[in-house]
Amino acid sequence: MAEKLWGGRFTKAIAPEFERFSESFSYDHRLALAEVRGSRAHVGALQRAGIVSEQEAGALREGLQRLEAELRGPASPLNGNGPLPELEDVHTWVAQRLEQLAGPAARKLQTGRSRNEQVALDLRLYLIDHKEQLFALLARLLGNLGRFAETYAEVLIPGYTHLQRAQPVSLGHHALAYAEMLLRDTARLRDAYSRVEVLPLGSGALAGSTLNLDRELLAKELGFTKLSQNSLDAVSDRDFACELTFVFALLGVHLSRFAEDWILYSSAEFNFLLMGDEYATGSSLMPQKKNADALELIRGKSARQVGNLTRLLTLLKGLPMAYNRDLQEDKEAMFDALQTVLGVLRIAAGVVETTQVRADRAARAADDPALLATDLADLLVENGVAFRDAHEIVGHVISKCVAEERDFRAFSTAEWAEIAPGFLSPERAAALTAAISVGRRNSLGGTSIEQVRAQARRIVEVATRL
Ligand code: ARG
């Protein structure tokens, strides 16, 4: 292993097994570009403080420039081009590589700065770097759900409570329910990011910096709008990571519910949806199989997200002020949470885009007269029957239908007279359909086609502005 950033105080070398146990470079190398950016800002601060000369600052800037080019290039040592060097962490790697590229001036770079603040800065920068991609994927999924809802606004399916048929709803309405959840997640994400975008630099190891830093200037250089206000807090705060991970977990849970519905709806038992081949798989044994693996994985990945959140919260519980090495364990959870949410959003968008609707099968299921029981009770109410009594009467109607395997819409006038004496609307009862039921629910947010179309257009429009 390479020279440590802290070797002077020690007389014996670190135990090799402890060195392996404690290294973080195998995963925190992802922070290398952020570390370079933070270092560049620190060079300016050192120059302003008179710690490095103009010439040294120039050498450091040029070295950092070359390092960045190297990291972004195809031969980047951190992009799977051969095994990673055995190093303690990304901070050590950047310091070492910079010394090779910029010469002895690199040994001054650590003046007045600590890895405790660097790692906090890097993690924030890394998350900020992925913000655009996150919102773009959310926008794509929301847009796809909105377009799906617009296209299939008129396709009716049974709506369920307790997974029992309840009332007919538009398939578009069902899709938009998930769009609403995602819209709230988007707002949560925006809010959480406002606490990611806080500059911790200038906190030193824990007590603040001895350099007369212009933190406002550092923030500007690094694209932050806010400064941390307490150095102890700044080096040990991981609330921002918890908050983002919570939003990712909730998003994961929302998409898991969505996946569950669509898995059910694409089974032969429901048969409302036909998965696109692009997002389905077959069986090595059973030739007829078409499995919704993409959706199953979306559902399954929510477990990781809940796990990542639990990991972070448990990590923080009971940590004494300020930085503790435990905090190194935040990164894998955070990286995994981010990569997982990106993957899940991407695949969900693709699934929505490629899924076909079996309108005929949906119509057949939505035509179940039992779904119209509430509308039938409403007809009685219109005729002056109290709802509780109407409920009771329709209950008898349904049990008669079940026992005799009949549709109440085919009841004769004589039968109606017996079941509900004085019922004035048997012909309207006979004419009840799923479309009528849905059309009657035209309140804002209801399932009428008109409402669904308007909401679908709203979602598509909002998605373009995310
Ligand atoms: N690898 C460490 C982390 O991720 C770096 C931070 C500082 N390390 C230290 N021993 N003070 O948290």
Side-chain angles (χ1 to χ4, degrees):
M1 281 244 188
E3 186 194 353
K4 298 273 179 275
L5 295 174
W6 41 263
R9 187 227 181 280
F10 294 81
T11 47
K12 289 190 200 155
I14 189 170
E17 60 190 18
F18 174 47
E19 184 148 52
R20 277 193 300 279
F21 177 75
S22 61
E23 72 82 28
S24 56
F25 190 56
S26 55
Y27 48 89
D28 71 11
H29 64 268
R30 291 179 183 83
L31 300 176
L33 275 169
E35 177 77 4
V36 167
R37 257 152 69 204
S39 299
R40 193 175 287 134
H42 192 60
V43 170
L46 290 179
Q47 193 182 358
R48 286 190 292 275
I51 307 275
V52 297
S53 67
E54 200 183 321
Q55 203 188 3
E56 288 172 317
L60 286 171
R61 285 201 183 91
E62 205 191 303
L64 288 166
Q65 199 59 42
R66 283 175 59 194
L67 189 45
E68 181 170 343
E70 189 176 301
L71 286 169
R72 291 190 189 280
S76 167
L78 307 187
N79 276 348
N81 295 304
L84 285 170
E86 284 188 13
L87 282 180
E88 183 177 326
D89 58 23
V90 66
H91 320 289
T92 312
W93 184 78
V94 169
Q96 187 195 68
R97 190 77 192 105
L98 192 61
E99 196 168 339
Q100 291 161 357
L101 293 169
R107 296 186 76 81
K108 291 193 174 179
L109 189 61
Q110 208 56 19
T111 320
R113 142 180 119 141
S114 159
R115 283 186 294 166
N116 299 352
E117 55 180 341
Q118 281 165 253
V119 75
L121 172 71
D122 292 356
L123 193 54
R124 287 172 187 271
L125 284 173
Y126 183 82
L127 294 170
I128 293 167
D129 285 346
H130 286 83
K131 186 177 168 184
E132 206 180 298
Q133 194 187 358
L134 252 174
F135 279 91
L137 284 172
L138 266 165
R140 189 173 143 215
L141 176 54
L142 272 169
N144 287 356
L145 281 170
R147 278 182 290 276
F148 180 92
E150 211 170 351
T151 309
Y152 300 113
E154 286 183 43
V155 171
L156 305 185
I157 57 168
Y160 300 85
T161 63
H162 314 271
L163 205 54
Q164 304 291 331
R165 286 182 174 178
Q167 290 175 349
V169 295
S170 152
L171 178 61
H173 198 52
H174 177 271
L176 290 176
Y178 288 101
E180 288 298 324
M181 298 177 208
L182 295 180
L183 219 48
R184 290 195 295 275
D185 292 333
T186 306
R188 287 185 185 100
L189 207 54
R190 237 181 245 303
D191 181 53
Y193 259 107
S194 73
R195 283 175 292 280
V196 177
E197 292 159 350
V198 178
L199 178 84
L201 211 56
S203 301
L206 74 162
S209 176
T210 50
L211 303 173
N212 190 18
L213 292 178
D214 184 345
R215 295 191 65 210
E216 296 277 357
L217 188 61
L218 284 173
K220 222 166 122 198
E221 279 172 17
L222 290 165
F224 287 87
T225 48
K226 283 162 278 184
L227 304 176
S228 59
Q229 300 293 312
N230 181 300
S231 60
L232 291 169
D233 177 45
V235 292
S236 59
D237 165 29
R238 296 292 184 273
D239 290 8
F240 64 97
C242 291
E243 285 191 68
L244 276 194
T245 307
F246 167 72
V247 180
F248 297 163
L250 187 57
L251 240 164
V253 167
H254 287 152
L255 290 178
S256 170
R257 291 185 60 191
F258 166 76
E260 169 65 8
D261 273 352
W262 276 36
I263 290 166
L264 284 174
Y265 291 178
S266 62
S267 73
E269 279 64 27
F270 287 78
N271 223 353
F272 310 151
L273 300 175
L274 190 64
M275 289 291 108
D277 283 358
E278 302 92 319
Y279 294 96
T281 60
S283 156
S284 56
L285 181 75
M286 300 166 282
Q288 88 285 9
K289 292 282 282 179
K290 184 170 179 185
N291 300 327
D293 286 28
L295 289 166
E296 289 168 24
L297 280 168
I298 288 172
R299 187 176 58 191
K301 299 243 182 218
S302 64
R304 299 169 81 104
Q305 297 294 53
V306 175
N308 285 326
L309 176 61
T310 308
R311 227 166 132 177
L312 282 179
L313 289 172
T314 314
L315 179 66
L316 295 180
K317 181 192 115 11
L319 275 195
M321 195 64 79
Y323 177 86
N324 297 271
R325 189 68 177 270
D326 314 42
L327 288 175
Q328 178 168 298
E329 291 288 316
D330 63 354
K331 273 169 285 301
E332 280 173 298
M334 189 72 255
F335 292 152
D336 187 68
L338 181 65
Q339 289 313 317
T340 304
V341 79
L342 293 172
V344 159
L345 287 171
R346 197 175 291 121
I347 299 305
V351 169
V352 175
E353 215 165 84
T354 52
T355 295
Q356 285 171 31
V357 170
R358 309 187 106 147
D360 55 329
R361 303 299 186 112
R364 205 178 302 165
D367 191 44
D368 177 354
L371 291 163
L372 303 170
T374 316
D375 295 274
L376 181 59
D378 287 348
L379 282 181
L380 289 162
V381 168
E382 275 180 38
N383 289 177
V385 181
F387 185 78
R388 283 266 292 281
D389 299 325
H391 190 286
E392 177 89 17
I393 293 166
V394 175
H396 293 313
V397 169
I398 295 299
S399 82
K400 180 175 159 76
C401 288
V402 171
E404 298 171 13
E405 288 186 36
R406 291 181 57 197
D407 181 337
F408 69 77
R409 290 173 295 191
F411 282 5
S412 67
T413 319
E415 278 173 304
W416 278 119
E418 196 183 314
I419 299 163
F423 180 40
L424 302 174
S425 315
E427 60 298 325
R428 278 178 68 200
L432 271 179
T433 60
I436 290 175
S437 169
V438 162
R440 293 179 65 225
R441 286 160 176 84
N442 197 30
S443 55
L444 178 78
T447 193
S448 77
I449 313 297
E450 189 187 327
Q451 288 295 328
V452 172
R453 287 228 168 89
Q455 299 289 359
R457 279 193 293 271
R458 189 186 113 250
I459 295 290
V460 171
E461 204 269 323
V462 169
T464 60
R465 284 188 286 108
L466 276 194

